[in-house]
Amino acid sequence: QVQLVESGGGLVQAGGSLRLSCAASGSTTGIEVMAWYRQAPGKQRELVASITSDGSTRYSGSAKGRFTISRDNAKNSVYLQMNSLKPEDTAVYYCNVERITVSSWGTSYWGSGTVVTVSS
């Protein structure tokens, strides 16, 4: 029903910046929460940041102060501006959306991920 395509990942030096984008398509009505998760090799997937339909945001402790999440409902997109990147930020970053409708209630969708590598 919902397809998510991430972009913006790449290789960057420590202290640099990247801007991740995620575009949703398909049945995009009723999307309540859009979020970014990440998973490093050998580690569990963790929530980095999330944003609700009314603009409320949440950040992980490591992301707070460095990352900024935003969304453009007209474009069905969510963004993650990452500044002051550290090697420990290296991971596959995944876009996630939660869609709430009368028929689906609460359904979560995932993108395929975009790789972020931060060199020392």
Side-chain angles (χ1 to χ4, degrees):
Q1 290 184 288
V2 177
Q3 296 79 48
L4 303 175
V5 179
E6 302 105 328
S7 63
L11 176 64
V12 65
Q13 294 183 2
S17 299
L18 285 174
R19 179 177 167 85
L20 305 183
S21 299
C22 174
S25 61
S27 301
T28 57
T29 58
I31 295 178
E32 173 61 22
V33 181
M34 306 185 82
W36 287 96
Y37 288 74
R38 69 185 181 188
Q39 186 169 25
K43 296 185 178 180
Q44 298 184 72
R45 186 173 298 185
E46 64 172 347
L47 175 66
V48 178
S50 66
I51 184 168
T52 63
S53 60
D54 64 356
S56 297
T57 58
R58 295 180 65 188
Y59 296 92
S60 68
S62 61
K64 196 174 302 180
R66 299 188 299 126
F67 296 179
T68 302
I69 189 170
S70 61
R71 65 190 286 174
D72 186 335
N73 292 329
K75 296 181 178 180
N76 297 312
S77 298
V78 61
Y79 310 93
L80 185 67
Q81 179 66 47
M82 304 187 294
N83 299 324
S84 302
L85 285 163
K86 305 174 181 179
E88 49 263 45
D89 294 318
T90 296
V92 179
Y93 284 71
Y94 297 92
C95 180
N96 171 264
V97 303
E98 181 179 346
R99 184 167 179 258
I100 301 176
T101 65
V102 174
S103 59
S104 66
W105 294 102
T107 304
S108 184
Y109 300 88
W110 293 90
S112 59
T114 184
V115 178
V116 171
T117 303
V118 184
S119 62
S120 301

